[in-house]
Amino acid sequence: MATKDAPPRWDRRMQQRLARGEAAALGELYDRFASLVHGLAHRVLGDERAADGITREVFLRLWEDPEAYDPRQGPLRSWVAALTHRLAVQRLRAAETAALARGGEGTTEDLERKVRHASVAARADYIVQAMPASLRTALELAYFQRRDYRQTATDLGVTEDEARRRLRLGLQLLATAHDTRFSGTPPEYGGAV
């Protein structure tokens, strides 16, 4: 069984299996990435039914055109996240534009603000999911359980310096969700967190 942080070799094999039309490969891919895809789509769209539609569309595209993913450009996880984000933002823009055209409240600036906000939130979710468990656990203790770095160190069984390092690195990663160079999107194809 492949680990969560799949090596590029797994990515290449998966792309090749999909290109050969192996339905089992699509099942494996779905098992591995469905929660990521659905979560990102839901975070952008705020709608369960729309997120389900994006999830189906992402896996349909992977099945119909596996060559669209090039393993030399980066991890399959990043490519799937970028595709999900792109499709979800397109759907959000289309829905909001249609609402504006029907005389809904707001302006195109409000629409763009909503899209930016949804993109930043989706990127933050992606970053948290993709970060190493040691960083994620430290942040969860500090944020959800209101632990300071000393309490976090005790809970994790690490030194205070190590707890501070994990918290600092985790927060630095999260800060990139607001980095304008990324426009609030998951890493672009070929990128990494």
Side-chain angles (χ1 to χ4, degrees):
M1 183 170 150
T3 63
K4 185 175 180 182
D5 298 319
R9 179 177 51 235
W10 184 89
D11 294 347
R12 274 192 303 277
R13 268 198 333 261
M14 182 56 65
Q15 190 267 343
Q16 291 165 350
R17 290 176 61 201
L18 287 169
R20 287 192 303 264
E22 289 185 33
L26 183 63
E28 276 182 54
L29 201 62
Y30 185 86
D31 290 346
R32 180 171 293 211
F33 295 128
S35 64
L36 168 69
V37 169
H38 190 273
L40 286 174
H42 191 272
R43 190 66 162 134
V44 170
L45 298 166
D47 179 341
E48 189 74 24
R49 180 178 262 161
D52 289 344
I54 292 294
T55 302
R56 283 189 301 276
E57 188 172 348
V58 165
F59 288 100
L60 178 64
R61 285 189 182 202
L62 283 165
W63 179 249
E64 290 179 341
D65 188 16
E67 288 84 15
Y69 166 66
D70 182 357
R72 295 171 299 183
Q73 295 296 312
L76 183 56
R77 178 184 179 86
S78 293
W79 186 84
V80 167
L83 175 61
T84 301
H85 181 264
R86 187 171 54 255
L87 294 175
V89 166
Q90 286 171 356
R91 184 162 302 173
L92 177 63
R93 270 204 177 95
E96 294 295 321
T97 301
L100 284 175
R102 288 190 307 268
E105 293 186 22
T107 64
T108 55
E109 291 82 20
D110 294 335
L111 166 65
E112 287 307 313
R113 196 174 10 262
K114 184 175 184 175
V115 168
R116 276 192 309 276
H117 177 75
S119 292
V120 168
R123 180 163 174 76
D125 286 350
Y126 178 83
I127 289 168
V128 169
Q129 289 178 17
M131 72 176 47
S134 60
L135 302 182
R136 186 174 45 252
T137 302
L139 287 176
E140 288 170 352
L141 286 169
Y143 184 77
F144 293 114
Q145 296 182 25
R146 306 260 186 225
R147 302 278 202 263
D148 65 18
Y149 76 92
R150 288 183 180 103
Q151 294 166 321
T152 299
T154 301
D155 290 349
L156 295 175
V158 298
T159 66
E160 290 179 5
D161 284 343
E162 177 61 15
R164 276 195 304 262
R165 186 192 68 76
R166 289 180 186 185
L167 289 168
R168 183 174 44 251
L169 184 54
L171 289 171
Q172 287 171 340
L173 287 170
L174 272 175
T176 65
H178 292 282
D179 192 334
T180 57
R181 290 175 297 162
F182 298 111
S183 304
T185 63
E188 289 304 316
Y189 180 43
V193 174

